[in-house]
Amino acid sequence: MAFHTDRLGVLTRHLHCNKALSNGRDSFVQFEVQDLTEVEVSKGRSKVDMAGNPITCHVLDTATGKPASSMKLSLHKQTDAGWEELVSKATNSDGRAGQFLSQEAFTKGVYKMFFDTADYFKQQNTKGFYPYVEIVFEIEQPAEHYHIPLLLSPYGYSTYRGS
């Protein structure tokens, strides 16, 4: 088995898999990469078109092993006067959100993605330790695509720069 250390290799290896689900049946989920701007989950609900969609996010509830659907979130940009809220959204049934800004409106600067974890955990009838998560990141190449993933549980979270 070859191991990939570059981001594209890891993404490609992750997306090119056929795995049997642990339900004991012969069903499977197949991930396919059509091209570098579009990822589709066949037999799934999610299709993400990254062309003209410079920033996306995905929230996974690692305690349940499921996407964090209906989580409220907002994108902010740092200005001289403080943080300016640019747009508010909620994740879809697959825990994803996109179309925060047009490519033209996405400029260099410091941004913050705010995740309302208190409301999400309330919807799940769960008590969480973190009432919200803020991920602050700097954009130097606005022509590139930026993906902000959040791996979440009631007592911890993790993130990284996705692609």
Side-chain angles (χ1 to χ4, degrees), residues 127-140:
K127 177 68 176 146
F129 183 68
Y130 301 100
Y132 61 89
V133 171
E134 293 180 324
I135 300 173
V136 178
F137 52 97
E138 185 170 11
I139 300 301
E140 294 180 351

Side-chain angles (χ1 to χ4, degrees), residues 20-27:
L21 297 176
S22 60
N23 63 8
R25 298 186 189 134
D26 290 332
S27 61

